[in-house]
Amino acid sequence: MPTTAFAAPSPSPEPTTTATPAPGTKSLDDVRKDIDELYRQAAVATEAYNQAEEQTKVQSAQIVKIAQAIVKGEERIKQLKDQAGAAARLQYRTGGLPLGAQMMLSGNPDAFLDGADRLREGQQATQGMLAELNRTQSDLGQYSKDASAQWTKLEANRVKKETAKKEITGKIAAAEKLESQLEAKERERLAQLEQEQQFKAQTDWLSSGILREINGKASEQGRRAVKFATDQIGKPYEWGAEGPRTYDCSGLTSQAWLAAGRGIPRTSQEQWAQLPHVDIKDMRPGDLIIYFADATHVGMYIGDGAIVHAPRPGRNVTITGAGTMPILGVVRPDK
């Protein structure tokens, strides 16, 4: 990978008699494209894994809240039942007689009437208590249904994560196998072909004159985000990782903006879906450039036509040209 946005590729080696592939075999450039496609497919699966992981965290937190509500509800029901039991025992002691009969049997009618007022107040309180008991029991029933629904979603996301994990590891293994079958000189040439392709893409992008239109200055938060991201240069890419030792592409950008005091979505697809969009000509350092039609890669613009990003498995966080991959659009976390 180039270490700057404008690094020219090394001169191509002199042609050799083995440069032309044998009939029925793939050229080295075709092998490069196959490897790139496998890593692209791994990136798509990584997005699915990260999304399922984020949803799992949310659902787990919701289940904890529901469980806490159930515990509180059960404690309240016990209190209400104890109060209901006390009221029932009081009624038993009075024999359940009508108020008029109790007054006739009372030796002190005035004292009885005072007691009757208190009794009526107690009966009203009992009715309110029974209504609350019914509501609490109904709430517990709903909490149980909610918990069951969340467990179902949690299990579905567990399956999604496992499926995505198998997809990721399978695609990475296939790409690594293709590379391992190459001889040392072929691997060197493969790296050079990749560099040449990126240089051409960046040159084509810059030749449009776009850089003359981009002159935005970073916000204070944007500067902090850029500093965090560039401080991670040299750390390895790892799918699903959010640091501090390894990162995937959206793990790097989300953690950089979190360090700058702004929480943003975890995945590049959610960053594209939820953050405000800006025109490429209006972008400034700290903005995020989303790549590919399915929004499966993201880098942070750092100025002068360059981004910092976590490229793919086997690579480290690095700086490269912003135009080296197909740009979907730009989003601004702190707009």
Side-chain angles (χ1 to χ4, degrees), residues 11-17 19:
S12 299
E14 291 297 322
T16 66
T17 56

Coordinates of all heavy atoms in Angstrom, one line a residue, residues 11-17 19:
P11 N 9.1 1.7 -10.6 CA 9.2 1.4 -12.0 C 8.9 -0.1 -12.3 O 9.3 -1.0 -11.4 CB 10.6 1.7 -12.4 CG 11.1 2.7 -11.4 CD 10.3 2.3 -10.1
S12 N 8.2 -0.4 -13.3 CA 7.9 -1.8 -13.6 C 9.1 -2.6 -13.9 O 10.0 -2.0 -14.6 CB 6.9 -1.9 -14.8 OG 5.7 -1.3 -14.5
P13 N 9.2 -3.8 -13.5 CA 10.4 -4.6 -13.9 C 10.5 -4.9 -15.4 O 9.5 -4.8 -16.1 CB 10.2 -5.9 -13.0 CG 8.8 -6.0 -12.9 CD 8.3 -4.6 -12.8
E14 N 11.7 -5.3 -15.8 CA 11.8 -5.6 -17.2 C 11.1 -6.8 -17.5 O 11.0 -7.8 -16.7 CB 13.3 -5.8 -17.5 CG 14.2 -4.6 -17.4 CD 13.8 -3.6 -18.5 OE1 13.4 -4.0 -19.6 OE2 13.8 -2.4 -18.2
P15 N 10.4 -6.9 -18.7 CA 9.6 -8.1 -19.1 C 10.5 -9.3 -19.1 O 11.7 -9.2 -19.4 CB 9.1 -7.7 -20.5 CG 9.2 -6.3 -20.6 CD 10.4 -5.9 -19.8
T16 N 10.0 -10.4 -18.8 CA 10.7 -11.7 -18.8 C 9.9 -12.7 -19.7 O 8.8 -12.4 -20.1 CB 10.8 -12.3 -17.4 OG1 9.5 -12.7 -17.0 CG2 11.5 -11.3 -16.4
T17 N 10.6 -13.8 -20.0 CA 9.9 -14.8 -20.9 C 8.7 -15.4 -20.2 O 7.9 -16.1 -20.9 CB 10.9 -15.9 -21.3 OG1 11.5 -16.4 -20.1 CG2 12.1 -15.3 -22.1
A19 N 6.5 -13.7 -18.5 CA 5.5 -12.7 -18.2 C 4.1 -13.0 -18.8 O 3.1 -12.7 -18.3 CB 5.9 -11.3 -18.7

